């Protein structure tokens, strides 16, 4: 699991507590991640991070993004991510965005209603 956040990282500590889940807070050479948590504030300060994330994932990886509708800028970034050619499925839950890269699936975008 890769966790990219600007703030101090307690998520990695919580997830790895009593588990055998390896968490990283930066990209590692030759490691492909099943799950990447991306703090949208980290993305706004590192615009090239999406392409780097995609290179570090596989067909069944999940990219989870927080606060996608918190500001107009966040929502614009969410829409940019949805348009990326490698992104096939997204799920908008208003507070979280789920991004999938499944090559065998048609491009679809879902919104979970409040």
């Amino acid at each position: 699991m890769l966790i990219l956040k600007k703030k101090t990282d307690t998520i990695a500590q919580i997830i790895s507590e009593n588990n055998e889940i390896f968490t990283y807070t930066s990209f590692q050479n030759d490691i492909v991640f099943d799950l990447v948590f991306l703090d949208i504030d980290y993305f706004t300060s590192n615009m090239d991070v999406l392409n780097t994330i995609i290179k570090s994932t596989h067909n069944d990886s999940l990219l989870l993004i927080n606060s996608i509708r918190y500001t107009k800028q966040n929502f614009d970034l969410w829409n940019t991510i949805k348009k990326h050619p490698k992104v096939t499925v997204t799920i908008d839950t208003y507070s979280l965005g789920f991004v999938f890269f499944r090559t065998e699936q048609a491009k679809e975008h879902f919104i979970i209603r409040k």
Side-chain angles (χ1 to χ4, degrees):
M1 168 186 264
L2 175 62
I3 300 172
L4 299 173
K5 289 182 57 103
K6 285 178 71 175
K7 303 169 187 149
T8 55
D9 189 19
T10 57
I11 293 175
Q13 185 179 7
I14 292 168
I15 290 173
S16 61
E17 191 74 28
N18 295 322
N19 290 312
E20 293 183 17
I21 298 172
F22 295 103
T23 58
Y24 301 88
T25 55
S26 63
F27 291 102
Q28 306 294 316
N29 290 336
D30 300 326
I31 295 182
V32 177
F33 297 100
D34 296 325
L35 173 63
V36 177
F37 174 81
L38 176 61
D39 181 347
I40 204 157
D41 293 331
Y42 185 94
F43 184 70
T44 58
S45 64
N46 299 289
M47 292 300 290
D48 293 332
V49 75
L50 183 60
N51 288 323
T52 306
I53 288 171
I54 290 172
K55 290 177 188 173
S56 299
T57 59
H58 55 79
N59 192 57
D60 296 321
S61 295
L62 167 63
L63 170 59
L64 181 61
I65 305 169
N66 71 327
S67 304
I68 61 171
R69 290 182 179 256
Y70 187 70
T71 65
K72 182 180 178 338
Q73 180 185 14
N74 288 10
F75 193 62
D76 290 344
L77 286 169
W78 171 246
N79 286 319
T80 300
I81 291 166
K82 288 180 2 181
K83 293 175 186 172
H84 192 282
K86 295 280 186 177
V87 171
T88 55
V89 175
T90 60
I91 302 172
D92 174 347
T93 67
Y94 284 86
S95 58
L96 292 172
F98 294 78
V99 180
F100 299 90
F101 309 100
R102 299 180 54 82
T103 56
E104 67 275 10
Q105 190 160 350
K107 196 166 191 94
E108 293 183 273
H109 304 290
F110 300 96
I111 299 175
I112 305 299
R113 296 181 190 196
K114 283 186 175 180

